[in-house]
Amino acid sequence: MRWLPLTHQDSNITCSNDIGILTTHGQEQRYISPTTGICRKLIVQAVAPSGKFEVAIKNHTNDASKLAIWLLTHSPFKGWIIFEWIAKSVWFALKLLWPIVWFLVELYFNASDDSEDDTDSSYNTGYYKPYLRQFQGQLWAARSRMEHSSRIKEETEINTRTHACYPRVLMIRSPNSKEWVRCVDRDIIIHAKYIAISYRATDVYSWGSREKKEKAQFTDEVRAAVLGQQFNAYWLDLECLGETPSEENLDVYCMSDVYRRAEKTLIMLGRADSGEKECWMSWGGRVWTFPEALLSSRLCYKFRDREEVESLSLFQLANLAYTDSEDEQAIVNAYANGKDPLERLERLTLLKKAIWRRAMAGFPTPSGPPPPPKSHMIGEGPVTGGYKPHKAEQVYALMGFFEHRIQPNHDEDELRALARLSMANDSDRIADRMVSMFPSTTTPGACWYADSDIYDANLWDIVPEIQVAGVTENGALVLDGCRAAAIRWKDFPEIPFATTLSLKRKIAGFIPYFSWPFIVIGLGIIPNTSRAGGIALIVIGLFLLFLSPRLFLYSKSGRIIDKQPWLIGVKGVVDRGTVESHLYGGTIAHFPRMYFTPSGSLFSKPEQFSRRIGSDEQYKDAKEQEKSGPGHMYTLIDTCSSTMYYFRAERPPTVCIFAGREGGLGRFVLCSESCQANELHKEMVLRMPTEISQRMDLCGWVALG
């Protein structure tokens, strides 16, 4: 995986809390407190702390458990440790006395109080800590027409038909004057049978002083070829595209219909003397090659230096114009005579990959979504030639295969266009599915966009659990229906938990607390009743105190059957034993309380036994890979499923969003917070048990940008 470095400014930033109150703070990483809703500095516990915002790992487990563990793991007969051992033994004994004192005080003051106390039962809420911040801005483009959109809509966009049954403009040969005229008369166009022309700009003309002459020469060649095919009408973008931006957008919107309604499509190739293979590969490397070829009813082709016009099948076209990519072969098989049909979403996904690959031709080292295509890759002229390529040209080329399209716009980029196209075709939910994926290469500015997935899942493998409500002016997706939870980074909290019922452990848990009553009663009867009996009780009490650490830990052992759900993060790689001790304290009987994920992260490794569990080797692997690689290594602990995950990210994520399902597990998106932009930024995606999503609260709209 590769991240681009984040840039920071020295100036302060202004943000708002969950109820819109503005605050100003520095550039350090922040998060919204799940208990107060206030924007706070993020303090991260780390295996090896560095910097003022990182601290050593600490926990809030029971102090008596910590003391009992220390007393059992340290011998009092090693050097001068005897004094520390005695001091901690006394402190442990006082810890056992405190519950007795507290019980007597409660008994005295609440003897006449019959009210019920729900404090203990509400402590374990059964839910993760919620994420409180919501998206508070306006949508640039909304899914629902009832929502306000700041995007300016042109009049042509509002009144445009979804599909056109005829081109807006055709070049038609006048039967009287035998001249070619540009026709916009609907009554004439709907009766005309025409040929659509496909070509590549660099095969036709070069930009400069000879451009106009070369275009005129190419137009004469096209007209001669059209007449040779016994047609009196044709569509060529050089002559039929609109002259105003509104007309251009409308023509791009209906481009796929032009090729659908044509009697045939004529592919005008370069000169054969320069190499037939090179001519085909040049034409096949364009963004619009797929809508022009796949949506046409019949195909034919002609080399510019030859008179013959040859018919062509899709299979022949694939062998001549496309590389040996499996994607192109699958697409052609799906469209040619209905052979090997693909599911709709799979077909659209393969088309997207193929079109995007052509848009990226000639661009080095892609990072995130591809940049706008160059004009020679589209088939039309440069800006000075009349047509101005759109920034989202590849999205507009793809939309011809969708049932519902979006009006092209020169001002929007590819991300916003793709989000709008996804919202317009709700059944495909492309953007919704991309949220659950994590590509091998990502950038902070386009974190929801994914062309691939680090877990090798396809777009159609994802079942989305969220819905895109709109897109912001920054290109962020606004998501609805998210189940989200806050991730705790400052320390390990105290985890309320319950173990399996055991009479033996229950009795062992009560015995330590009888030590102090024995001692107190013994001290009380020595001067008044029986000296021997008092000494015996004191000896019994001291003996119970000596056994108390072991008995106390044994009472806390056992298989955990219920606990408070928490997501806890640690910077660095932590072993399982350390996590267990920080969460639940120590045990006597060996019952594993945390497990490694068998398939939830890139570092997961399953055991080959009959039971599906994660291998302990992934700790060693993660520790080894911690030494090198982009970003930082982190450990995520989920107490609900008792599972540990190792992952690599640029920044510690503070929010976990349940976004979808795939392969029998949930897709949980780990995000950091950008309070100034009121957005979340995807840091990693983990595959976690789907059932834990039911322990997450539904939150309002969130922006993923």
Side-chain angles (χ1 to χ4, degrees), residues 52-69:
K52 62 180 181 178
F53 297 118
E54 294 184 7
V55 296
I57 300 174
K58 57 182 179 179
N59 61 65
H60 292 281
T61 55
N62 187 282
D63 287 338
S65 295
K66 298 178 185 177
L67 290 170
I69 295 170

Side-chain angles (χ1 to χ4, degrees), residues 150-180:
S150 60
R151 185 175 68 92
I152 300 176
K153 298 180 181 180
E154 299 179 3
E155 183 179 354
T156 55
E157 178 177 350
I158 300 174
N159 301 319
T160 300
R161 299 183 303 275
T162 302
H163 296 287
C165 296
Y166 56 90
R168 189 181 62 84
V169 179
L170 274 182
M171 295 301 298
I172 298 179
R173 189 168 184 260
S174 172
N176 299 324
S177 61
K178 304 300 181 181
E179 294 182 355
W180 294 91

Side-chain angles (χ1 to χ4, degrees), residues 432-620:
D432 305 43
R433 298 170 194 268
M434 282 186 175
V435 171
S436 297
M437 303 175 71
F438 196 80
S440 56
T441 302
T442 184
T443 63
C447 68
W448 64 265
Y449 180 91
D451 256 337
S452 58
D453 183 60
I454 58 175
Y455 301 110
D456 294 327
N458 297 301
L459 201 64
W460 55 87
D461 295 327
I462 307 293
V463 180
E465 295 289 341
I466 47 92
Q467 185 182 51
V468 176
V471 58
T472 69
E473 191 168 357
N474 294 333
L477 293 186
V478 178
L479 309 179
D480 177 48
C482 294
R483 290 186 178 272
I487 302 175
R488 183 183 180 99
W489 285 93
K490 60 182 179 181
D491 55 27
F492 282 82
E494 184 177 1
I495 308 293
F497 65 96
T499 59
T500 52
L501 183 61
S502 169
L503 182 60
K504 198 162 56 170
R505 284 199 304 272
K506 204 170 190 67
I507 294 174
F510 278 116
I511 290 176
Y513 296 101
F514 284 102
S515 58
W516 277 108
F518 274 106
I519 295 174
V520 173
I521 294 173
L523 291 174
I525 67 175
I526 284 177
N528 299 324
T529 307
S530 171
R531 180 180 179 86
I535 293 175
L537 289 176
I538 293 175
V539 171
I540 294 174
L542 292 175
F543 179 72
L544 292 180
L545 276 179
F546 179 76
L547 296 178
S548 291
R550 185 172 298 274
L551 293 174
F552 185 84
L553 291 180
Y554 178 72
S555 69
K556 301 295 183 181
S557 302
R559 184 170 62 87
I560 295 178
I561 57 174
D562 189 26
K563 59 271 186 187
Q564 169 70 28
W566 277 94
L567 291 175
I568 306 165
V570 179
K571 183 179 180 181
V573 179
V574 189
D575 65 274
R576 188 175 65 179
T578 301
V579 171
E580 290 179 350
S581 64
H582 283 299
L583 286 177
Y584 306 112
T587 61
I588 297 299
H590 179 67
F591 289 96
R593 298 187 166 187
M594 291 301 299
Y595 301 90
F596 289 113
T597 173
S599 58
S601 74
L602 287 181
F603 296 93
S604 58
K605 181 181 295 183
E607 291 283 11
Q608 305 299 319
F609 306 137
S610 57
R611 184 184 176 195
R612 179 181 173 271
I613 58 175
S615 171
D616 290 347
E617 292 183 6
Q618 57 187 287
Y619 168 71
K620 298 179 181 178

